[in-house]
Amino acid sequence: MSNITQMNWEKLLSRKRYEGQQSLSESEEMVRGEFQRDYDRIVFSSAFRRLQNKTQVMPLPESDFVHTRLTHSLETSCVGRSLGRIVGKKILEKYPGLEKSNLINEANFGDIVAAACLAHDIGNPPFGHSGEDAISAFFQGPEASVFLQNLTDTQQADLQNFEGNAAGFRILTHTYPAQCSLPGGLSLTYTTLATFTKYPKESLPKIPDTKNTSEKKYGFFQSEKIWFKTIADELGLLSKTQTGEIFYHRHPLAFLVEAADDICYRIIDFEDGCRLGLIPKDTAENLLKAILEMPEGKKSRLEFYDWREQIGFLRAKIISKLIAETAEIFLANETEILAGTYDNPLISEVSSKTILNQIKKLSIESIYKNRAVLEIEAAGFEVLGGLLDIFLNAVFKPQSRRHQKILDLIPDQYLDMNRQVHPDEYERILQITDFISGLTDQAAINLYRKLKGISLPKGY
């Protein structure tokens, strides 16, 4: 356990990457910095591209307006960049030596938060949070018990409480030996990886009644826990435990990632629900105007002829207001955040929190519990559970001809065909879970239908 009592920005803002990764020269840093490189690497990754067909609000949406995980992530990164720059400017004013000692400027803060925001959903399985529940339910069921019997309690907890945040950290940091000899995943900076990690703890122990936002979930699997400890110790994150678990206080900028996500999904999911006709436009307009403290009946100086444009205008004004407020809340609590004594979502302290909670409640009732959403999410349990059952049985019982055919369908990296040392049981299960959770919504459905004989490939 670390003896430090407070984190400091000089250590927290590190350009260090996995060993063997070359750093930029000072002249290159001025043109395209290390943290912007992080952002670009995420954009060009295949895992990020697959977010274009993963659920945000409505599974398998027919409307081309409705957000996917990709558009949500892009919007969240824009909000995160603004938050980072606002906070960075004030941090540099407060600690004038930081700019000279670390060659840090306010744009760097923005790039770090934007990159972490861009990746914040990169580990989400098909069908959104319902997909996490579906994977967890499979591993909690009797069909999976034979695969888990030799695993440790924490390894079992990783699977039985599957977490997209941990899957995301694995995507960013893990290289499959069948793909490349250089480990380290996307080889992002330690600072961006720590900022990405909103829940810097293992899956055990669970803390069900915690009021601390960073303890509500977990942020890395057992396979990557030493990786995270290396990052945390390098950056000087404060440890929360003396009993051996890997359990830390957040990197301060992770609070801005959480705030950017909260702002976007609260407001933009609500806008999607309105445009889909799930929320009455008058109800939506009144709630959005209340956030802006616009008197009821007062007309804007702008005249809108389409109510959708009116809603979009209000949404833009609200996001701007919430960015300013959450940045101010962060700065007001910066000393406590560095000391690890502040652990609340920034959005929980904004002036419009009561109205935002009303919006959240209405979104749950009218959007997330809409019949079409529930039907597809329920089907997702069958699809993801069915695929895990099929592929895990093939991996662990490869003797049958049918299972040999199934194995041929698994991409090589998830079988580690080129490794001389075979992975242990936990890693083998995790690799198949990587494969299934990495599928897009439509790809998962199509693969399930084909393997179950419900449909055949075109041409047959």
Side-chain angles (χ1 to χ4, degrees):
M1 179 180 176
S2 175
N3 293 321
I4 58 175
T5 57
Q6 180 171 306
M7 294 176 273
N8 73 81
W9 288 109
E10 283 199 9
K11 290 199 70 175
L12 290 167
L13 300 171
S14 169
R15 293 175 175 80
K16 185 171 183 178
R17 299 179 186 274
Y18 187 81
E19 288 183 24
Q21 295 297 302
Q22 187 174 2
S23 295
L24 296 175
S25 66
E26 188 171 332
S27 60
E28 290 174 316
E29 177 72 34
M30 297 297 291
V31 177
R32 175 174 172 262
E34 294 283 7
F35 306 120
Q36 190 175 336
R37 288 176 76 195
D38 287 346
Y39 186 95
D40 296 348
R41 289 181 180 195
I42 295 164
V43 166
F44 285 99
S45 68
S46 57
F48 181 73
R49 192 180 314 129
R50 286 194 293 269
L51 294 178
Q52 67 184 308
N53 192 5
K54 289 199 176 188
T55 297
Q56 173 61 20
V57 180
M58 187 67 68
L60 309 174
E62 295 182 6
S63 168
D64 59 4
F65 175 83
V66 174
H67 288 76
T68 64
R69 287 282 167 185
L70 184 74
T71 47
H72 167 71
S73 298
L74 289 167
E75 289 169 345
T76 301
S77 74
C78 291
V79 172
R81 177 178 288 111
S82 296
L83 283 167
R85 285 196 168 212
I86 293 168
V87 165
K89 184 175 186 295
K90 296 296 184 182
I91 294 295
L92 291 172
E93 289 173 0
K94 184 175 180 180
Y95 306 99
L98 189 59
E99 189 167 1
K100 292 181 180 178
S101 61
N102 280 35
L103 296 175
I104 289 289
N105 57 49
E106 65 188 66
N108 296 143
F109 281 85
D111 289 341
I112 293 164
V113 180
C117 286
L118 194 70
H120 83 280
D121 276 345
I122 205 166
N124 275 31
F127 311 111
H129 292 298
S130 177
E132 292 175 309
D133 294 339
I135 293 172
S136 300
F138 170 78
F139 284 111
Q140 291 170 16
E143 304 90 346
S145 59
V146 64
F147 306 123
L148 306 183
Q149 57 187 349
N150 296 324
L151 273 56
T152 67
D153 289 346
T154 313
Q155 288 173 338
Q156 290 185 39
D158 286 354
L159 299 164
Q160 293 178 335
N161 298 281
F162 183 81
E163 179 53 58
N165 289 284
F169 188 81
R170 180 171 166 86
I171 287 169
L172 298 177
T173 60
H174 180 73
T175 301
Y176 295 98
Q179 290 181 306
C180 180
S181 62
L182 180 66
L186 299 186
S187 296
L188 305 182
T189 60
Y190 285 13
T191 295
T192 294
L193 288 170
T195 300
F196 165 86
T197 309
K198 294 188 290 185
Y199 309 102
K201 68 180 293 295
E202 303 178 61
S203 55
L204 293 180
K206 296 179 188 177
I207 313 175
D209 299 320
T210 183
K211 293 182 180 179
N212 295 328
T213 185
S214 68
E215 297 174 352
K216 294 183 182 297
K217 300 179 182 180
Y218 68 96
F220 42 85
F221 297 129
Q222 290 299 289
S223 52
E224 282 74 50
K225 71 175 185 178
I226 300 304
W227 225 126
F228 184 79
K229 185 178 188 306
T230 300
I231 293 167
D233 291 345
E234 172 71 23
L235 300 181
L237 301 189
L238 296 177
S239 177
K240 280 191 176 185
T241 180
Q242 299 184 31
T243 56
E245 300 95 355
I246 296 178
F247 188 10
Y248 287 84
H249 289 278
R250 275 180 176 175
H251 189 290
L253 297 182
F255 285 94
L256 300 183
V257 175
E258 180 180 59
D261 186 27
D262 285 341
I263 290 169
C264 287
Y265 90 78
R266 290 279 181 92
I267 302 302
I268 301 176
D269 285 10
F270 186 68
E271 181 188 8
D272 278 358
C274 184
R275 286 181 177 249
L276 289 168
L278 302 176
I279 295 169
K281 62 179 177 21
D282 290 341
T283 301
E285 186 177 330
N286 288 334
L287 283 168
L288 295 176
K289 283 183 174 179
I291 295 175
L292 295 171
E293 299 176 339
M294 294 173 63
E296 217 172 308
K298 181 182 178 182
K299 291 187 176 180
S300 168
R301 287 177 297 173
L302 295 174
E303 190 171 356
F304 293 94
Y305 307 109
D306 184 335
W307 66 265
R308 297 169 189 82
E309 289 302 309
Q310 165 83 341
I311 295 294
F313 173 77
L314 293 173
R315 174 253 301 154
K317 297 281 285 182
I318 288 167
I319 289 176
S320 180
K321 178 182 179 183
L322 293 176
I323 286 172
E325 282 196 50
T326 50
E328 189 176 329
I329 292 164
F330 178 94
L331 292 165
N333 293 282
E334 182 249 354
T335 301
E336 290 75 15
I337 289 172
L338 290 175
T341 56
Y342 181 93
D343 201 353
N344 301 318
L346 300 176
I347 203 168
S348 69
E349 297 189 30
V350 298
S351 60
S352 55
K353 61 186 177 184
T354 301
I355 303 164
L356 288 172
N357 286 335
Q358 288 178 322
I359 285 176
K360 182 178 181 180
K361 182 180 179 183
L362 186 56
S363 295
I364 291 170
E365 293 170 352
S366 302
I367 305 173
Y368 309 132
K369 290 188 177 179
N370 175 267
R371 183 175 180 84
V373 173
L374 293 176
E375 286 175 346
I376 294 175
E377 288 183 344
F381 274 75
E382 297 298 319
V383 171
L384 297 183
L387 289 174
L388 285 167
D389 186 56
I390 290 168
F391 284 105
L392 285 171
N393 272 291
V395 167
F396 283 90
K397 303 171 187 177
Q399 295 81 9
S400 75
R401 291 185 178 181
R402 177 175 182 268
H403 287 169
Q404 283 295 323
K405 298 292 184 186
I406 298 297
L407 286 175
D408 289 341
L409 296 174
I410 303 173
D412 286 350
Q413 70 262 31
Y414 300 113
L415 290 175
D416 275 356
M417 300 296 289
N418 298 330
R419 276 184 82 172
Q420 294 181 352
V421 178
H422 292 293
D424 60 24
E425 290 183 19
Y426 170 68
E427 183 66 25
R428 291 167 76 192
I429 295 169
L430 209 51
Q431 286 174 348
I432 296 304
T433 307
D434 291 346
F435 169 48
I436 303 303
S437 68
L439 294 170
T440 65
D441 294 11
Q442 195 62 62
I445 291 171
N446 291 343
L447 183 58
Y448 178 78
R449 287 169 63 86
K450 290 169 185 174
L451 292 177
K452 289 293 185 179
I454 300 169
S455 67
L456 292 174
K458 291 181 180 179
Y460 289 86

